Amino acid sequence: MENFNFWDCEVWGIVNLLAVLMGSLLAANSLKKLIPPLKKSLIPSSVLGGILLLIASVIYESVTGNNLFNTNFFGGNGAGVLEILTYHGLALGFIATTLKPSGHKMGKQRSREIFDTGVTTVAAYLLQGVLGLGITVLAAALVKDLFAAAGVILPFGFGQGTGQALNYGNIYEQEYGFLGGRSFGLTIAALGFLSASIGGVIHLNILRKKGMNYDWCHEDDNATPLNLQEIQGKDEIPMNGSIDKLTMQLVLVGLGYLMAYGMMALLGSLIPSLKSILFGFNFLLGVIAAALIKGINNFLMKKKIVRRQHISAFLMTRLSGFFFDVMIVAGVAAIRINVLSRYWPIIIILGLVGAFSTYFYTHYVAKTLFPAYAEEQFLVSYGMLTGTASTGIILLRELDADFRTPAAENLVYQNFPAMIFGFPLMLLAAIAPVKPIMTLLILVGFFLVMNLILFRRQIFKRKSK
């Protein structure tokens, strides 16, 4: 684009798209404040904003026959840009989350609870994978040309959110001919958010009828104000130095993503056959890069080479929230309803099975392994395993607004054990289209092993008795 005018759609398309995405978030947030049922639903504003755009897109396409986001106003390829934003939003959010300084020391009991939370996360992924893949393998034997491995997207859509659902849907569509794979994954993820909201509200109402005291539907205006120490940590660089503090956080996130791209490009050149899968793991390599940057920063701080902390926990939290909001609203808006016509029965079955199985499994685990704060642990686990970590926190705040229980900390620090144990699931998902039945059997075995680890104290205590 050597010669262009500033009024060309190529110049304004992505800006218009981002403005509309932000406008939908604002509209959704306003609707939640104005309409009591929406407020009580606990549905995230990002999901509601995406649904608003999806409805507008469906209406526009039914009237004109054209995709709303592929008009000149959005640069001619807005639908593709929505998927790109979803893809990058996942990795950028994880990088910002990983870069946050922790500053916590864990005792033996807390370390065990965090470990069990991570194992619970992976076991729930596997349960969703076993049920999802089992359903589509069975359906493929009955329905001609149905993609047998489609159900393995369930744990990525429910358990890991919009970005990973899009990643695997795209891999299956590009590499294995799963027509509509990207929209299939995005739709499963959207159903996960609805499951988190509806299931969470039902459970909170059950608790209320049982007489459990909690603050129902917190008003944003009544939130506890942040103190200065939460905004400006000890020894941190000033907000408005020679480089703005927010700019510094973006620099570090960008550096981490650049390192992740370098690793993906290098590994992709060495193993060309796995290039698409490697770039689907952009979030994982982003986490590795962020951990390296964080480690180097801590080393330089310890050796007094760098005397001021450049990473702000407060701003990194805000950035990760922004990236995840953009990822979700763009992902829901990017769903193409017209390419899913033949999949709706399977999608609805997967959504219902995913919601009920996750609800009952996480509730049983919470009551068995976390008796001191079972309901708080259940809400945060169920919310995360059907939506995102933010959804889990939203549900938890209704029961534990001040985070008096360790449930919120469990959610934050469980990522490391969950990543270690969950990595094989990502590899198995890559071979599922080739050998779906073998993959299903391995998932069943893996699920049994993870439950053996998770309930190790209960199982071996009984044996010893």
Side-chain angles (χ1 to χ4, degrees), residues 203-216:
H203 190 79
L204 287 168
N205 274 300
I206 292 172
L207 294 181
R208 183 168 59 173
K209 289 179 180 178
K210 288 182 178 180
M212 183 172 285
N213 295 320
Y214 62 91
D215 297 323
W216 178 247

Side-chain angles (χ1 to χ4, degrees), residues 171 174-176 264-281 427 430-431 434:
I171 291 171
Q174 298 296 325
E175 301 289 330
Y176 302 103
M264 289 184 289
L266 177 62
L267 293 172
S269 64
L270 295 175
I271 319 172
S273 60
L274 295 179
K275 192 171 184 177
S276 62
I277 296 173
L278 288 168
F279 275 86
F281 288 161
L427 298 179
I431 65 171
V434 181

Side-chain angles (χ1 to χ4, degrees), residues 85-104:
L85 290 172
T86 305
Y87 170 77
H88 290 307
L90 176 71
L92 292 169
F94 268 99
I95 290 171
T97 302
T98 305
L99 283 171
K100 285 169 49 181
S102 56
H104 291 270

Side-chain angles (χ1 to χ4, degrees), residues 67-236:
N67 187 299
L68 172 64
F69 297 109
N70 286 339
T71 58
N72 284 337
F73 182 76
F74 295 113
N77 187 35
V81 175
L82 287 173
E83 293 182 356
I84 292 171
L85 290 172
T86 305
Y87 170 77
H88 290 307
L90 176 71
L92 292 169
F94 268 99
I95 290 171
T97 302
T98 305
L99 283 171
K100 285 169 49 181
S102 56
H104 291 270
K105 292 183 179 179
M106 297 294 175
K108 184 177 180 181
Q109 173 67 19
R110 291 292 301 116
S111 298
R112 186 173 67 188
E113 290 175 343
I114 289 167
F115 176 81
D116 287 345
T117 303
V119 176
T120 302
T121 299
V122 178
Y125 289 166
L126 291 166
L127 176 62
Q128 292 167 348
V130 167
L131 295 174
L133 185 57
I135 288 169
T136 52
V137 166
L138 178 62
L142 302 175
V143 180
K144 185 179 179 182
D145 297 330
L146 182 68
F147 189 69
V152 86
I153 293 178
L154 181 61
F156 297 107
F158 268 58
Q160 296 193 4
T162 314
Q164 274 296 83
L166 173 67
N167 281 347
Y168 278 92
N170 182 61
I171 291 171
Y172 292 169
E173 186 166 341
Q174 298 296 325
E175 301 289 330
Y176 302 103
F178 178 22
L179 184 63
R182 293 194 296 271
S183 287
F184 186 95
L186 293 172
T187 306
I188 293 294
L191 289 178
F193 282 108
L194 293 177
S195 300
S197 304
I198 296 171
V201 168
I202 291 173
H203 190 79
L204 287 168
N205 274 300
I206 292 172
L207 294 181
R208 183 168 59 173
K209 289 179 180 178
K210 288 182 178 180
M212 183 172 285
N213 295 320
Y214 62 91
D215 297 323
W216 178 247
C217 291
H218 299 285
E219 291 288 350
D220 294 338
D221 296 337
N222 295 332
T224 305
L226 295 172
N227 57 48
L228 183 60
Q229 287 72 27
E230 292 175 295
I231 298 173
Q232 178 74 22
K234 184 180 178 181
D235 297 326
E236 285 186 4

